[in-house]
Amino acid sequence: MIRMNTDAGQITVDSAVYTNIAGFAATNCFGVKGMASRKEGGWYLLRRESMSKGVNATFADDGSISLELHIAVDHGVNISALAHSIINEVSYKVNQATGVPVARVDVFVDSMFLD
């Protein structure tokens, strides 16, 4: 949770805001099947309503945020290029929407789907 002081008072932004923005930004990248979550020994694709469960947010003392994304990808995509695209998109969208600097974005490919 991030707290910001303004002239009008204090604003508190819950971590769910950051995880939802990051989840939506990541799933809009070409090649991402969706966010992934570990349940009972396997990885499962999350529905759009609960995609923030595939994102972990950590807040630093300097006011920045670090994000960890667990994704499922389509078979045949260039994972390195996809990860760079996700890192850039998530960093930009989170910073643009909240004004909070993004210190780090880690992308974990947990599953690959064959269509």
Side-chain angles (χ1 to χ4, degrees):
M1 189 174 319
I2 297 250
R3 298 182 199 286
M4 295 176 262
N5 292 315
T6 66
D7 295 338
Q10 188 178 56
I11 299 171
T12 304
V13 183
D14 190 57
S15 63
V17 173
Y18 301 100
T19 58
N20 279 320
I21 293 168
F24 281 114
T27 55
N28 285 332
C29 292
F30 177 79
V32 176
K33 191 74 164 177
M35 302 306 291
S37 178
R38 187 171 186 85
K39 294 180 187 174
E40 300 172 13
W43 289 98
Y44 293 90
L45 193 63
L46 296 169
R47 296 186 315 256
R48 286 195 72 76
E49 306 87 54
S50 59
M51 73 174 58
S52 65
K53 292 180 183 173
V55 181
N56 296 321
T58 306
F59 302 98
D61 293 336
D62 66 355
S64 66
I65 186 170
S66 295
L67 299 162
E68 179 180 297
L69 290 85
H70 293 269
I71 62 169
V73 299
D74 291 322
H75 181 265
V77 298
N78 182 329
I79 294 175
S80 177
L82 177 62
H84 282 95
S85 174
I86 291 169
I87 291 167
N88 290 332
E89 185 71 10
V90 168
S91 296
Y92 175 74
K93 293 287 185 179
V94 169
N95 185 270
Q96 181 186 31
T98 64
V100 174
V102 177
R104 184 180 178 114
V105 178
D106 295 319
V107 179
F108 296 90
V109 178
D110 295 321
S111 186
M112 184 176 288
F113 285 86
L114 304 172
D115 286 333

XYZ file of all heavy atoms in Angstrom:
863
model
N 0.839 -1.167 0.000
C 0.000 0.000 0.000
C 0.891 1.240 0.000
O 1.851 1.303 0.732
C -0.884 -0.034 1.244
C -1.926 1.015 1.220
S -3.120 0.950 2.581
C -3.467 -0.755 2.798
N 0.552 2.177 -0.838
C 1.333 3.409 -0.952
C 0.509 4.569 -0.402
O -0.678 4.689 -0.700
C 1.703 3.691 -2.424
C 2.585 2.594 -2.965
C 2.277 5.060 -2.622
C 4.000 2.944 -3.236
N 1.142 5.404 0.386
C 0.497 6.599 0.922
C 1.199 7.819 0.337
O 2.420 7.899 0.340
C 0.594 6.631 2.435
C -0.091 5.487 3.118
C 0.009 5.636 4.638
N -0.231 4.408 5.349
C -1.400 3.830 5.511
N -2.456 4.372 4.973
N -1.532 2.712 6.195
N 0.382 8.751 -0.156
C 0.914 9.992 -0.734
C 0.283 11.171 -0.001
O -0.928 11.194 0.204
C 0.577 10.067 -2.218
C 1.246 9.005 -3.061
S 0.719 9.060 -4.766
C -0.514 7.769 -4.743
N 1.106 12.116 0.372
C 0.615 13.322 1.025
C 0.461 14.424 -0.006
O 1.374 14.686 -0.790
C 1.565 13.762 2.138
C 1.579 12.785 3.286
O 0.532 12.329 3.725
N 2.760 12.442 3.766
N -0.700 15.068 -0.013
C -0.969 16.193 -0.904
C -1.389 17.386 -0.060
O -1.554 17.274 1.159
C -2.087 15.850 -1.910
O -3.308 15.671 -1.185
C -1.766 14.594 -2.700
N -1.611 18.520 -0.700
C -2.075 19.710 0.016
C -3.469 19.493 0.614
O -3.794 20.050 1.649
C -2.103 20.918 -0.918
C -0.708 21.304 -1.382
O 0.271 20.945 -0.688
O -0.589 21.947 -2.432
N -4.266 18.663 -0.044
C -5.634 18.419 0.411
C -5.724 17.316 1.461
O -6.758 17.143 2.091
C -6.510 18.059 -0.783
N -4.675 16.522 1.617
C -4.697 15.434 2.587
C -3.868 14.255 2.122
O -3.028 14.375 1.232
N -4.146 13.098 2.713
C -3.378 11.900 2.393
C -4.187 10.978 1.482
O -5.379 10.777 1.686
C -3.006 11.158 3.675
C -2.058 10.005 3.460
C -1.685 9.334 4.773
O -2.546 8.900 5.506
N -0.392 9.277 5.041
N -3.515 10.405 0.483
C -4.132 9.454 -0.433
C -3.474 8.100 -0.189
O -2.254 7.989 -0.166
C -3.917 9.868 -1.900
C -4.542 11.231 -2.161
C -4.472 8.812 -2.837
C -4.183 11.812 -3.509
N -4.295 7.079 -0.020
C -3.808 5.720 0.165
C -4.288 4.872 -1.006
O -5.480 4.839 -1.287
C -4.332 5.123 1.488
O -3.950 5.986 2.553
C -3.763 3.740 1.716
N -3.344 4.224 -1.681
C -3.674 3.378 -2.826
C -3.352 1.936 -2.453
O -2.216 1.613 -2.107
C -2.882 3.797 -4.086
C -3.283 2.951 -5.276
C -3.105 5.277 -4.388
N -4.363 1.071 -2.521
C -4.217 -0.326 -2.154
C -3.409 -1.081 -3.207
O -3.410 -0.727 -4.388
C -5.602 -0.956 -2.003
C -5.538 -2.333 -1.393
O -5.002 -2.460 -0.282
O -6.017 -3.279 -2.039
N -2.744 -2.144 -2.795
C -1.928 -2.928 -3.719
C -2.756 -3.577 -4.823
O -2.241 -3.860 -5.900
C -1.133 -3.994 -2.968
O -2.011 -4.907 -2.351
N -4.055 -3.793 -4.607
C -4.921 -4.385 -5.630
C -4.999 -3.491 -6.871
O -5.151 -4.001 -7.996
C -6.317 -4.629 -5.080
N -4.878 -2.194 -6.697
C -4.894 -1.275 -7.838
C -3.698 -1.553 -8.746
O -3.837 -1.689 -9.964
C -4.884 0.198 -7.364
C -4.722 1.153 -8.535
C -6.147 0.506 -6.577
N -2.530 -1.689 -8.146
C -1.312 -1.927 -8.908
C -1.325 -3.303 -9.577
O -0.922 -3.444 -10.730
C -0.079 -1.787 -8.015
C 0.017 -0.434 -7.380
C -0.386 -0.223 -6.063
C 0.485 0.657 -8.105
C -0.311 1.024 -5.486
C 0.564 1.911 -7.527
C 0.157 2.083 -6.219
O 0.233 3.331 -5.654
N -1.797 -4.322 -8.841
C -1.804 -5.672 -9.416
C -2.813 -5.790 -10.547
O -2.556 -6.482 -11.533
C -2.070 -6.741 -8.336
O -3.307 -6.476 -7.688
C -0.943 -6.774 -7.318
N -3.951 -5.115 -10.442
C -4.928 -5.137 -11.538
C -4.405 -4.430 -12.777
O -4.549 -4.928 -13.894
C -6.257 -4.519 -11.097
C -7.107 -5.474 -10.319
O -7.180 -6.649 -10.637
N -7.756 -4.976 -9.279
N -3.799 -3.275 -12.600
C -3.233 -2.545 -13.739
C -2.150 -3.386 -14.408
O -2.117 -3.517 -15.636
C -2.663 -1.176 -13.301
C -3.792 -0.253 -12.835
C -1.882 -0.519 -14.445
C -3.313 1.003 -12.131
N -1.271 -3.979 -13.619
C -0.186 -4.798 -14.172
C -0.736 -6.029 -14.881
O -0.262 -6.393 -15.960
C 0.775 -5.219 -13.058
N -1.738 -6.684 -14.307
C -2.336 -7.860 -14.931
C -2.990 -7.544 -16.262
O -2.813 -8.272 -17.246
N -3.742 -6.448 -16.317
C -4.377 -6.054 -17.571
C -3.340 -5.661 -18.621
O -3.464 -6.010 -19.791
C -5.372 -4.916 -17.353
C -6.686 -5.373 -16.805
C -7.079 -4.995 -15.538
C -7.534 -6.193 -17.538
C -8.285 -5.425 -15.003
C -8.745 -6.622 -17.033
C -9.128 -6.241 -15.757
N -2.302 -4.943 -18.218
C -1.259 -4.540 -19.164
C -0.533 -5.755 -19.726
O -0.261 -5.830 -20.925
C -0.269 -3.592 -18.488
N -0.226 -6.722 -18.875
C 0.499 -7.914 -19.327
C -0.344 -8.754 -20.280
O 0.160 -9.240 -21.296
C 0.931 -8.760 -18.127
N -1.619 -8.926 -19.978
C -2.460 -9.784 -20.820
C -2.800 -9.137 -22.154
O -3.266 -9.826 -23.061
C -3.759 -10.194 -20.093
O -4.441 -9.025 -19.660
C -3.450 -11.094 -18.919
N -2.575 -7.842 -22.285
C -2.801 -7.182 -23.575
C -1.615 -7.333 -24.516
O -1.702 -6.934 -25.672
C -3.131 -5.708 -23.364
C -4.543 -5.519 -22.862
O -5.430 -6.324 -23.138
N -4.760 -4.461 -22.104
N -0.509 -7.892 -24.047
C 0.658 -8.106 -24.900
C 0.444 -9.347 -25.770
O -0.057 -10.366 -25.290
C 1.923 -8.269 -24.047
S 2.416 -6.766 -23.198
N 0.842 -9.254 -27.024
C 0.689 -10.362 -27.961
C 1.482 -11.577 -27.481
O 2.643 -11.451 -27.118
C 1.183 -9.947 -29.352
C 1.126 -11.056 -30.353
C -0.069 -11.403 -30.946
C 2.258 -11.788 -30.669
C -0.132 -12.440 -31.857
C 2.211 -12.827 -31.577
C 1.008 -13.152 -32.173
N 0.822 -12.727 -27.465
C 1.474 -13.964 -27.066
C 1.182 -14.398 -25.652
O 1.486 -15.525 -25.273
N 0.575 -13.505 -24.851
C 0.231 -13.859 -23.478
C -1.157 -14.483 -23.487
O -2.130 -13.871 -23.924
C 0.252 -12.632 -22.541
C -0.201 -12.999 -21.143
C 1.641 -12.025 -22.509
N -1.243 -15.703 -23.013
C -2.526 -16.410 -22.920
C -3.320 -15.892 -21.734
O -4.530 -15.797 -21.780
C -2.267 -17.911 -22.790
C -3.461 -18.753 -22.944
C -3.870 -18.800 -24.395
C -4.824 -19.948 -24.632
N -5.291 -19.969 -26.001
N -2.639 -15.559 -20.651
C -3.293 -15.042 -19.456
C -2.353 -15.108 -18.268
O -1.204 -15.508 -18.377
N -2.879 -14.722 -17.120
C -2.120 -14.796 -15.884
C -2.256 -16.206 -15.330
O -3.274 -16.869 -15.532
C -2.635 -13.777 -14.867
C -2.580 -12.336 -15.368
S -0.970 -11.791 -15.951
C -0.069 -11.762 -14.421
N -1.228 -16.674 -14.621
C -1.218 -18.040 -14.100
C -1.162 -18.018 -12.581
O -0.627 -17.100 -11.966
C -0.020 -18.803 -14.654
N -1.732 -19.065 -11.986
C -1.709 -19.217 -10.538
C -1.476 -20.679 -10.201
O -1.984 -21.566 -10.879
C -3.036 -18.755 -9.939
O -3.049 -18.932 -8.546
N -0.736 -20.928 -9.153
C -0.413 -22.303 -8.747
C -1.469 -22.803 -7.769
O -1.740 -22.166 -6.762
C 0.961 -22.340 -8.097
C 1.437 -23.739 -7.797
C 2.895 -23.702 -7.352
N 3.435 -25.006 -7.177
C 3.950 -25.754 -8.143
N 3.968 -25.302 -9.364
N 4.432 -26.943 -7.888
N -2.058 -23.943 -8.108
C -3.050 -24.578 -7.239
C -2.839 -26.073 -7.263
O -2.753 -26.673 -8.329
C -4.471 -24.290 -7.721
C -4.894 -22.865 -7.626
C -6.311 -22.730 -8.126
C -6.723 -21.282 -8.216
N -8.034 -21.134 -8.818
N -2.732 -26.672 -6.100
C -2.674 -28.120 -5.954
C -1.686 -28.790 -6.915
O -2.003 -29.726 -7.623
C -4.068 -28.725 -6.125
C -5.065 -28.219 -5.110
C -6.476 -28.674 -5.407
O -6.666 -29.565 -6.239
O -7.397 -28.114 -4.792
N -0.487 -28.269 -6.979
C 0.572 -28.894 -7.753
C 0.609 -28.559 -9.233
O 1.499 -29.016 -9.937
N -0.299 -27.762 -9.743
C -0.288 -27.411 -11.162
C -0.518 -25.920 -11.362
O -0.874 -25.203 -10.443
N -0.299 -25.473 -12.581
C -0.510 -24.070 -12.920
C -1.828 -23.953 -13.655
O -2.144 -24.741 -14.529
C 0.629 -23.543 -13.790
C 1.887 -23.412 -13.010
C 2.918 -24.300 -12.962
C 2.236 -22.350 -12.126
N 3.884 -23.859 -12.104
C 3.499 -22.660 -11.582
C 1.614 -21.175 -11.740
C 4.136 -21.830 -10.682
C 2.258 -20.353 -10.846
C 3.505 -20.668 -10.316
N -2.604 -22.934 -13.311
C -3.919 -22.737 -13.900
C -4.036 -21.337 -14.471
O -3.506 -20.384 -13.907
C -5.020 -22.956 -12.860
C -5.086 -24.382 -12.404
C -4.329 -24.812 -11.314
C -5.867 -25.308 -13.068
C -4.358 -26.125 -10.899
C -5.903 -26.630 -12.657
C -5.152 -27.031 -11.576
O -5.177 -28.335 -11.178
N -4.742 -21.244 -15.574
C -5.004 -19.966 -16.217
C -6.105 -19.246 -15.448
O -7.133 -19.842 -15.129
C -5.433 -20.210 -17.666
C -5.475 -19.028 -18.604
C -4.080 -18.440 -18.758
C -6.004 -19.465 -19.957
N -5.873 -17.984 -15.119
C -6.849 -17.211 -14.355
C -7.826 -16.503 -15.278
O -7.454 -16.060 -16.367
C -6.133 -16.172 -13.479
C -5.224 -16.733 -12.401
C -4.381 -15.617 -11.798
C -6.043 -17.427 -11.330
N -9.067 -16.373 -14.826
C -10.060 -15.601 -15.576
C -9.717 -14.122 -15.466
O -8.998 -13.694 -14.573
C -11.455 -15.862 -15.011
C -11.912 -17.291 -15.170
C -13.358 -17.434 -14.718
N -13.621 -16.759 -13.463
C -13.751 -17.373 -12.293
N -13.617 -18.667 -12.205
N -14.004 -16.676 -11.201
N -10.273 -13.310 -16.354
C -9.972 -11.876 -16.355
C -10.365 -11.197 -15.045
O -9.753 -10.212 -14.655
C -10.656 -11.187 -17.534
C -9.937 -11.514 -18.830
C -10.281 -10.637 -19.996
N -9.826 -9.280 -20.048
C -8.613 -8.864 -20.327
N -7.644 -9.717 -20.513
N -8.345 -7.592 -20.420
N -11.377 -11.713 -14.357
C -11.815 -11.087 -13.108
C -10.802 -11.273 -11.984
O -10.772 -10.494 -11.035
C -13.150 -11.679 -12.622
C -14.272 -11.646 -13.625
C -14.276 -12.867 -14.526
O -14.286 -14.007 -14.047
O -14.247 -12.655 -15.748
N -9.989 -12.328 -12.052
C -9.070 -12.619 -10.951
C -7.612 -12.655 -11.387
O -6.795 -13.293 -10.754
C -9.456 -13.953 -10.304
O -9.406 -14.991 -11.248
N -7.299 -11.952 -12.457
C -5.930 -11.998 -12.974
C -4.912 -11.347 -12.047
O -3.735 -11.635 -12.129
C -5.844 -11.388 -14.359
C -5.967 -9.896 -14.400
S -5.677 -9.251 -16.026
C -6.895 -10.101 -16.953
N -5.357 -10.511 -11.134
C -4.412 -9.882 -10.218
C -3.778 -10.898 -9.270
O -2.767 -10.615 -8.653
C -5.096 -8.771 -9.414
O -6.080 -9.305 -8.566
N -4.359 -12.096 -9.176
C -3.772 -13.139 -8.339
C -2.463 -13.651 -8.922
O -1.677 -14.268 -8.229
C -4.754 -14.297 -8.166
C -5.951 -13.922 -7.342
C -6.890 -15.076 -7.191
C -8.119 -14.644 -6.408
N -9.129 -15.692 -6.378
N -2.208 -13.397 -10.183
C -0.962 -13.786 -10.813
C 0.115 -12.726 -10.702
O 1.174 -12.833 -11.318
N -0.143 -11.677 -9.921
C 0.795 -10.559 -9.770
C 1.069 -10.343 -8.285
O 0.145 -10.294 -7.481
C 0.223 -9.256 -10.378
C 1.224 -8.117 -10.242
C -0.189 -9.452 -11.819
N 2.337 -10.190 -7.937
C 2.733 -9.836 -6.569
C 3.381 -8.460 -6.604
O 4.244 -8.202 -7.443
C 3.723 -10.849 -5.999
C 3.110 -12.221 -5.852
O 1.950 -12.345 -5.482
N 3.880 -13.245 -6.151
N 2.962 -7.590 -5.695
C 3.515 -6.236 -5.618
C 4.282 -6.073 -4.317
O 3.819 -6.485 -3.255
C 2.390 -5.209 -5.688
N 5.471 -5.468 -4.424
C 6.297 -5.178 -3.256
C 6.633 -3.698 -3.282
O 7.094 -3.178 -4.302
C 7.599 -6.006 -3.295
O 7.267 -7.384 -3.439
C 8.397 -5.805 -2.030
N 6.409 -3.043 -2.172
C 6.642 -1.604 -2.083
C 7.952 -1.325 -1.361
O 8.233 -1.918 -0.320
C 5.484 -0.924 -1.351
C 4.164 -1.159 -2.018
C 3.311 -2.143 -1.557
C 3.793 -0.427 -3.121
C 2.096 -2.384 -2.173
C 2.589 -0.658 -3.753
C 1.742 -1.640 -3.282
N 8.746 -0.418 -1.905
C 10.032 -0.048 -1.308
C 9.859 1.213 -0.453
O 8.877 1.951 -0.594
C 11.065 0.200 -2.399
N 10.830 1.440 0.404
C 10.790 2.615 1.281
C 10.900 3.929 0.513
O 10.439 4.964 0.987
C 11.916 2.543 2.314
C 11.708 1.402 3.305
O 10.548 0.986 3.501
O 12.719 0.930 3.864
N 11.490 3.876 -0.677
C 11.648 5.091 -1.471
C 10.398 5.454 -2.271
O 10.399 6.412 -3.036
C 12.857 4.973 -2.408
C 12.688 3.906 -3.471
O 11.666 3.172 -3.455
O 13.587 3.790 -4.329
N 9.303 4.692 -2.107
C 8.047 4.997 -2.795
C 7.886 4.305 -4.127
O 6.893 4.513 -4.821
N 8.840 3.475 -4.501
C 8.727 2.748 -5.777
C 8.075 1.390 -5.542
O 7.890 0.961 -4.400
C 10.106 2.577 -6.416
O 10.918 1.742 -5.622
N 7.753 0.729 -6.632
C 7.084 -0.564 -6.555
C 7.824 -1.571 -7.430
O 8.359 -1.214 -8.480
C 5.603 -0.434 -6.991
C 4.847 -1.740 -6.778
C 5.480 0.020 -8.423
C 3.344 -1.598 -6.965
N 7.861 -2.817 -6.981
C 8.401 -3.925 -7.769
C 7.276 -4.918 -7.987
O 6.488 -5.191 -7.074
C 9.554 -4.606 -7.033
O 10.636 -3.727 -6.884
N 7.192 -5.440 -9.201
C 6.101 -6.341 -9.567
C 6.648 -7.678 -10.043
O 7.659 -7.727 -10.743
C 5.249 -5.710 -10.668
C 4.583 -4.395 -10.297
C 4.133 -3.648 -11.540
C 3.413 -4.646 -9.369
N 5.970 -8.740 -9.665
C 6.312 -10.099 -10.088
C 5.075 -10.665 -10.790
O 4.008 -10.753 -10.184
C 6.656 -10.925 -8.859
C 6.997 -12.349 -9.129
C 7.317 -13.089 -7.844
O 8.294 -12.722 -7.174
O 6.560 -14.029 -7.526
N 5.220 -11.016 -12.073
C 4.096 -11.507 -12.858
C 4.293 -12.970 -13.221
O 5.376 -13.349 -13.668
C 3.954 -10.692 -14.152
C 3.476 -9.265 -14.003
C 4.625 -8.340 -13.704
C 2.778 -8.827 -15.259
N 3.245 -13.760 -13.049
C 3.240 -15.166 -13.438
C 2.276 -15.301 -14.600
O 1.083 -15.024 -14.449
C 2.827 -16.047 -12.256
C 3.823 -16.034 -11.158
N 4.847 -16.956 -11.089
C 3.994 -15.202 -10.104
C 5.592 -16.691 -10.034
N 5.101 -15.631 -9.420
N 2.813 -15.715 -15.765
C 1.992 -15.724 -16.969
C 1.981 -17.095 -17.636
O 2.855 -17.926 -17.398
C 2.469 -14.671 -17.988
C 3.899 -14.977 -18.454
C 2.357 -13.266 -17.424
C 4.348 -14.163 -19.641
N 0.986 -17.279 -18.478
C 0.906 -18.422 -19.381
C 0.992 -17.858 -20.792
O 0.404 -16.813 -21.085
C -0.406 -19.169 -19.181
N 1.749 -18.514 -21.658
C 1.973 -18.000 -23.007
C 1.488 -18.992 -24.056
O 1.275 -20.169 -23.785
C 3.468 -17.678 -23.259
C 3.960 -16.621 -22.292
C 4.319 -18.923 -23.167
N 1.319 -18.483 -25.279
C 1.000 -19.322 -26.423
C 2.263 -20.033 -26.886
O 3.375 -19.498 -26.770
C 0.464 -18.467 -27.587
C -0.908 -17.883 -27.293
O -1.723 -18.581 -26.666
O -1.152 -16.735 -27.700
N 2.105 -21.217 -27.426
C 3.230 -21.984 -27.969
C 3.799 -21.260 -29.183
O 3.064 -20.733 -30.011
C 2.761 -23.391 -28.364
C 3.864 -24.232 -28.899
N 4.106 -24.353 -30.245
C 4.805 -24.972 -28.277
C 5.145 -25.142 -30.426
N 5.582 -25.540 -29.236
N 5.110 -21.215 -29.274
C 5.774 -20.662 -30.447
C 6.173 -19.206 -30.343
O 6.774 -18.678 -31.280
N 5.853 -18.524 -29.243
C 6.251 -17.121 -29.125
C 7.709 -17.030 -28.675
O 8.227 -17.936 -28.018
C 5.355 -16.334 -28.132
C 3.930 -16.307 -28.602
C 5.461 -16.863 -26.736
N 8.350 -15.953 -29.037
C 9.713 -15.677 -28.598
C 9.620 -15.164 -27.162
O 9.206 -14.031 -26.918
C 10.356 -14.641 -29.515
C 11.782 -14.339 -29.156
O 12.174 -14.409 -27.992
N 12.558 -13.983 -30.155
N 9.988 -15.992 -26.214
C 9.784 -15.670 -24.802
C 10.608 -14.469 -24.367
O 10.140 -13.621 -23.612
C 10.056 -16.898 -23.913
C 8.992 -17.962 -24.210
C 10.042 -16.536 -22.433
C 9.187 -19.270 -23.497
N 11.820 -14.350 -24.861
C 12.662 -13.210 -24.507
C 12.043 -11.895 -24.987
O 11.963 -10.920 -24.226
C 14.055 -13.378 -25.110
O 14.848 -12.257 -24.840
N 11.601 -11.860 -26.226
C 10.970 -10.649 -26.774
C 9.663 -10.346 -26.045
O 9.360 -9.187 -25.762
C 10.720 -10.818 -28.265
N 8.918 -11.396 -25.746
C 7.661 -11.215 -25.030
C 7.902 -10.647 -23.630
O 7.208 -9.728 -23.201
C 6.901 -12.544 -24.934
C 5.608 -12.524 -24.143
C 4.594 -11.587 -24.786
C 5.043 -13.924 -24.030
N 8.880 -11.166 -22.929
C 9.188 -10.676 -21.580
C 9.595 -9.206 -21.610
O 9.151 -8.417 -20.761
C 10.285 -11.526 -20.946
N 10.423 -8.818 -22.584
C 10.815 -7.401 -22.699
C 9.603 -6.524 -22.990
O 9.474 -5.423 -22.444
C 11.879 -7.228 -23.791
C 13.230 -7.645 -23.346
N 13.733 -8.891 -23.574
C 14.193 -6.972 -22.660
C 14.940 -8.992 -23.065
N 15.250 -7.833 -22.487
N 8.715 -6.992 -23.830
C 7.497 -6.248 -24.153
C 6.626 -6.077 -22.916
O 6.102 -4.990 -22.651
C 6.720 -6.978 -25.251
O 5.489 -6.357 -25.492
N 6.470 -7.139 -22.137
C 5.660 -7.081 -20.919
C 6.277 -6.121 -19.914
O 5.584 -5.301 -19.307
C 5.500 -8.485 -20.303
C 4.623 -9.353 -21.207
C 4.917 -8.406 -18.898
C 4.616 -10.816 -20.827
N 7.580 -6.201 -19.718
C 8.264 -5.320 -18.761
C 8.047 -3.859 -19.135
O 7.699 -3.033 -18.272
C 9.765 -5.668 -18.685
C 9.951 -7.035 -18.020
C 10.546 -4.584 -17.949
C 11.346 -7.612 -18.174
N 8.218 -3.534 -20.407
C 8.034 -2.147 -20.849
C 6.585 -1.696 -20.704
O 6.312 -0.594 -20.221
C 8.483 -1.981 -22.301
C 9.976 -2.100 -22.444
O 10.728 -1.810 -21.526
N 10.417 -2.540 -23.612
N 5.642 -2.540 -21.114
C 4.223 -2.184 -21.067
C 3.728 -2.021 -19.629
O 3.043 -1.048 -19.307
C 3.400 -3.256 -21.794
C 1.935 -2.942 -21.919
C 1.610 -1.828 -22.901
O 2.509 -1.397 -23.656
O 0.461 -1.379 -22.905
N 4.073 -2.963 -18.772
C 3.624 -2.903 -17.378
C 4.242 -1.695 -16.672
O 3.540 -0.960 -15.968
C 3.951 -4.220 -16.643
C 3.777 -4.077 -15.142
C 3.086 -5.351 -17.181
N 5.535 -1.464 -16.858
C 6.187 -0.307 -16.227
C 5.521 0.993 -16.653
O 5.223 1.857 -15.811
C 7.668 -0.259 -16.594
O 8.338 -1.369 -16.096
N 5.269 1.119 -17.946
C 4.661 2.345 -18.469
C 3.243 2.537 -17.938
O 2.894 3.620 -17.458
C 4.656 2.313 -20.002
C 3.946 3.494 -20.608
C 4.528 4.758 -20.615
C 2.674 3.347 -21.156
C 3.874 5.845 -21.161
C 2.012 4.424 -21.700
C 2.609 5.671 -21.697
O 1.947 6.745 -22.235
N 2.417 1.495 -18.021
C 1.007 1.609 -17.618
C 0.860 1.882 -16.126
O 0.035 2.711 -15.730
C 0.233 0.337 -17.983
C 0.079 0.095 -19.454
C -0.905 1.032 -20.068
C -1.113 0.646 -21.525
N -2.059 1.469 -22.210
N 1.627 1.209 -15.293
C 1.535 1.423 -13.842
C 1.997 2.832 -13.494
O 1.334 3.540 -12.726
C 2.337 0.356 -13.065
C 2.464 0.726 -11.592
C 1.686 -1.011 -13.215
N 3.103 3.275 -14.071
C 3.609 4.619 -13.791
C 2.658 5.686 -14.309
O 2.406 6.679 -13.631
C 5.001 4.798 -14.392
C 5.593 6.136 -14.022
O 5.410 7.114 -14.728
N 6.291 6.165 -12.904
N 2.106 5.478 -15.499
C 1.198 6.462 -16.087
C -0.089 6.577 -15.276
O -0.588 7.668 -15.048
C 0.871 6.075 -17.526
C -0.046 7.050 -18.226
C -0.477 6.563 -19.591
O -0.592 5.371 -19.815
N -0.726 7.491 -20.490
N -0.627 5.456 -14.820
C -1.905 5.464 -14.117
C -1.793 5.939 -12.670
O -2.734 6.532 -12.142
C -2.530 4.071 -14.150
N -0.658 5.675 -12.024
C -0.556 5.967 -10.592
C 0.480 7.026 -10.244
O 0.434 7.584 -9.141
C -0.211 4.691 -9.808
O 1.084 4.236 -10.202
C -1.251 3.601 -10.043
N 1.441 7.255 -11.125
C 2.514 8.199 -10.829
C 3.602 7.612 -9.953
O 4.542 8.300 -9.576
N 3.496 6.330 -9.623
C 4.480 5.660 -8.773
C 5.565 5.059 -9.663
O 5.261 4.354 -10.625
C 3.804 4.550 -7.929
C 4.830 3.751 -7.153
C 2.782 5.159 -6.988
N 6.837 5.324 -9.379
C 7.902 4.744 -10.206
C 7.989 3.225 -10.011
O 7.848 2.722 -8.900
C 9.170 5.430 -9.708
C 8.832 5.977 -8.366
C 7.350 6.197 -8.326
N 8.213 2.531 -11.113
C 8.338 1.071 -11.084
C 9.825 0.739 -11.074
O 10.541 1.033 -12.031
C 7.634 0.425 -12.289
C 7.825 -1.082 -12.278
C 6.161 0.788 -12.291
N 10.282 0.144 -9.992
C 11.700 -0.171 -9.837
C 12.070 -1.437 -10.597
O 13.166 -1.535 -11.158
C 12.049 -0.339 -8.367
N 11.145 -2.396 -10.632
C 11.494 -3.694 -11.213
C 10.232 -4.438 -11.611
O 9.224 -4.388 -10.919
C 12.266 -4.487 -10.170
C 12.778 -5.799 -10.594
C 13.527 -6.468 -9.442
N 13.968 -7.768 -9.860
C 15.217 -8.117 -10.011
N 16.172 -7.265 -9.729
N 15.543 -9.319 -10.410
N 10.297 -5.155 -12.738
C 9.234 -6.058 -13.173
C 9.888 -7.389 -13.510
O 10.750 -7.460 -14.375
C 8.476 -5.519 -14.406
C 7.420 -6.517 -14.860
C 7.841 -4.172 -14.113
N 9.500 -8.440 -12.783
C 9.996 -9.788 -13.040
C 8.877 -10.590 -13.685
O 7.747 -10.595 -13.187
C 10.435 -10.470 -11.745
C 11.632 -9.786 -11.107
O 12.547 -9.400 -11.858
O 11.644 -9.655 -9.872
N 9.199 -11.271 -14.793
C 8.208 -12.059 -15.524
C 8.587 -13.526 -15.428
O 9.705 -13.910 -15.773
C 8.141 -11.620 -17.009
C 7.140 -12.464 -17.769
C 7.800 -10.140 -17.117
N 7.655 -14.337 -14.953
C 7.842 -15.782 -14.842
C 6.863 -16.466 -15.782
O 5.650 -16.290 -15.646
C 7.599 -16.261 -13.408
C 8.578 -15.698 -12.414
C 8.320 -14.503 -11.766
C 9.760 -16.365 -12.158
C 9.231 -13.987 -10.858
C 10.678 -15.863 -11.248
C 10.411 -14.661 -10.608
N 7.380 -17.225 -16.727
C 6.534 -18.001 -17.634
C 6.302 -19.347 -16.951
O 7.193 -20.171 -16.862
C 7.179 -18.169 -19.021
C 6.294 -19.023 -19.912
C 7.455 -16.813 -19.651
N 5.083 -19.535 -16.465
C 4.759 -20.730 -15.685
C 4.085 -21.816 -16.496
O 4.049 -22.968 -16.071
C 3.854 -20.346 -14.514
C 4.554 -19.433 -13.532
O 5.748 -19.646 -13.280
O 3.915 -18.492 -13.016
N 3.546 -21.461 -17.654
C 2.828 -22.449 -18.450
C 2.826 -22.031 -19.911
O 2.896 -20.843 -20.225
C 1.394 -22.577 -17.927
O 0.726 -23.597 -18.580
N 2.752 -23.027 -20.788
C 2.664 -22.769 -22.219
C 1.498 -23.585 -22.765
O 1.356 -24.763 -22.451
C 3.961 -23.168 -22.925
C 3.976 -22.852 -24.395
S 5.542 -23.231 -25.171
C 6.560 -21.940 -24.496
N 0.663 -22.954 -23.561
C -0.526 -23.604 -24.094
C -0.369 -23.905 -25.575
O 0.080 -23.063 -26.344
C -1.758 -22.725 -23.889
C -2.239 -22.728 -22.463
C -1.702 -21.862 -21.535
C -3.214 -23.600 -22.065
C -2.134 -21.856 -20.238
C -3.663 -23.634 -20.756
C -3.116 -22.746 -19.837
N -0.711 -25.096 -25.943
C -0.742 -25.512 -27.336
C -2.169 -25.388 -27.836
O -3.088 -25.926 -27.238
C -0.281 -26.969 -27.486
C 1.100 -27.289 -26.922
C 1.331 -28.785 -26.968
C 2.156 -26.570 -27.712
N -2.363 -24.684 -28.928
C -3.730 -24.543 -29.475
C -3.949 -25.427 -30.659
O -3.210 -25.742 -31.453
C -4.008 -23.093 -29.843
C -4.236 -22.244 -28.609
O -4.677 -22.782 -27.578
O -3.963 -21.045 -28.683
